[in-house]
Amino acid sequence: MTSRVEAADMPYDGETKTPDRLRRRTSRLLSQLSAYSDRLINEGLGHVDARKWHYAALASLQEFGPGSQATLSRRYGVRGLY
């Protein structure tokens, strides 16, 4: 069975379409892994109608206690007007 990462490198005729040296690049593999894990996390949270920022806010509140919106944003890395 072909994995999703392998499938991304396969055209319709079954031959690989991405050059071997590109497929072996650590940065490309990490990028694909990040995209895959992001998709899994979003799907899992979606089952309970939540998003990653919801999880980040709740984790911050549980670990550090209450805070203003600006404090919460700084805690989990949201940058904006605060």
Side-chain angles (χ1 to χ4, degrees):
M1 182 169 185
T2 304
S3 72
R4 286 186 184 198
V5 172
E6 291 170 329
D9 290 326
M10 304 281 280
Y12 297 113
D13 62 4
E15 297 292 324
T16 55
K17 63 180 179 182
T18 305
D20 189 50
R21 64 181 174 189
L22 178 59
R23 285 188 298 123
R24 291 191 322 248
R25 300 272 319 172
T26 304
S27 59
R28 183 173 183 269
L29 294 172
L30 287 172
S31 176
Q32 288 179 321
L33 178 63
S34 176
Y36 180 69
S37 67
D38 194 50
R39 187 170 41 252
L40 288 177
I41 290 168
N42 285 329
E43 286 175 9
L45 290 171
H47 290 298
V48 293
D49 200 28
R51 302 291 175 258
K52 286 189 288 185
W53 61 86
H54 298 142
Y55 181 82
L58 292 172
S60 177
L61 288 169
Q62 182 181 26
E63 188 167 335
F64 300 112
S68 67
Q69 286 180 327
T71 300
L72 287 173
S73 296
R74 282 191 293 271
R75 286 179 185 165
Y76 61 86
V78 173
R79 299 292 179 239
L81 302 173
Y82 51 80

